[in-house]
Amino acid sequence: MLHAQKEVIDTIQHRFYYAAKISYVEGIRPRDDEVLVLIGKNKVYCGSRWKEEYYDICDSIRSHGGSTSDIISATAYIPVSLFPEITIKHETEKGMISGYVNFSKMFKYTEPIAEKNWTLLEGDTVIMGYRCHKAMCTHRKRTWTVWYTPEIPISEGPWKLDGLPGMILYAIDSKKQFKFDCFAADHNVNKPLYNYNTKCISITPKRVQELRI
């Protein structure tokens, strides 16, 4: 099924790994997770690293004639991810973002990429050897503080964060329900970027929020 459902949508140029902490309920201790941001030639993918690792193992086992029981044994160590969705920017057209969410069935919504109206702040730090600057914005009623580096001139970041003159390597919201901390990056990857969710039910962004509630 995995081979039948996946399709190549781009070529990965850069891969960023983020340690994440996620909690949907304010006051509940966030759980550890890991998130991947894959920068393609035309598209930007963000999703759970653990899910991607699961898909890679499944593909490898299937390609060598393995069975479902082989997959279950090989993937038993992979944690369950709480990261809410897979997002792909510019999938349908430039300036649009597609979101894939699983509520017992896989749903897909598409909406314009929102302007973030960043405020650039005083201060700098170093993350993974890159000099970073501070910025803040309020997006979807959530206030974010981030550190970005102009030394990686890519105007992207984890989840739906973007729009700064450099890659966002650290982000945390004011309620500390979501945190993303980049710990590794690969450049000049030149590998296929897959979408494993080609069979989905169309849905509106408003309905996604209603289902989450």
Side-chain angles (χ1 to χ4, degrees):
M1 288 180 63
L2 287 175
H3 281 293
Q5 292 180 3
K6 77 174 184 179
E7 65 177 355
V8 177
I9 60 172
D10 204 343
T11 301
I12 302 170
Q13 303 296 301
H14 308 272
R15 182 190 288 118
F16 295 89
Y17 302 82
Y18 293 83
K21 288 188 177 292
I22 296 172
S23 172
Y24 281 107
V25 181
E26 187 176 353
I28 299 297
R29 182 179 177 182
R31 282 184 54 183
D32 292 326
D33 215 314
E34 289 190 20
V35 170
L36 278 178
V37 176
L38 307 176
I39 310 294
K41 292 181 178 179
N42 301 300
K43 298 175 175 60
V44 180
Y45 174 102
C46 181
S48 165
R49 180 189 179 188
W50 297 337
K51 289 179 183 176
E52 289 302 303
E53 187 168 340
Y54 174 82
Y55 291 145
D56 288 345
I57 292 172
C58 288
D59 278 353
S60 178
I61 292 174
R62 291 295 191 197
S63 67
H64 289 85
S67 65
T68 300
S69 61
D70 293 329
I71 291 175
I72 292 171
S73 297
T75 59
Y77 73 94
I78 298 177
V80 175
S81 175
L82 287 184
F83 192 63
E85 60 191 344
I86 293 168
T87 57
I88 304 176
K89 295 175 184 174
H90 319 301
E91 184 192 23
T92 55
E93 60 181 287
K94 189 74 173 177
M96 302 294 287
I97 184 169
S98 300
Y100 295 84
V101 291
N102 193 334
F103 299 114
S104 73
K105 296 180 180 179
M106 187 61 71
F107 294 87
K108 175 184 177 180
Y109 68 88
T110 303
E111 63 181 352
I113 297 173
E115 291 288 336
K116 306 304 186 299
N117 296 317
W118 291 101
T119 299
L120 304 185
L121 303 174
E122 294 291 330
D124 55 31
T125 190
V126 175
I127 300 174
M128 297 196 309
Y130 296 103
R131 186 173 179 178
C132 297
H133 304 296
K134 193 176 185 181
M136 181 180 291
C137 80
T138 298
H139 176 56
R140 302 281 171 84
K141 299 180 180 180
R142 193 178 297 277
T143 299
W144 291 93
T145 299
V146 307
W147 294 91
Y148 68 96
T149 177
E151 295 178 12
I152 304 177
I154 301 172
S155 184
E156 291 295 341
W159 208 0
K160 297 181 180 181
L161 299 175
D162 55 23
L164 285 164
M167 190 72 188
I168 297 170
L169 298 183
Y170 179 90
I172 188 168
D173 78 297
S174 57
K175 295 181 180 179
K176 295 183 172 58
Q177 290 179 255
F178 295 89
K179 183 173 78 170
F180 304 94
D181 190 357
C182 189
F183 64 87
D186 299 325
H187 305 288
N188 301 313
V189 177
N190 289 320
K191 290 186 178 181
L193 174 58
Y194 294 108
N195 181 6
Y196 286 90
N197 301 288
T198 59
K199 296 181 179 179
C200 302
I201 301 170
S202 295
I203 195 172
T204 65
K206 180 180 179 181
R207 184 59 181 152
V208 170
Q209 294 304 316
E210 291 172 349
L211 289 172
R212 281 194 178 133
I213 292 171

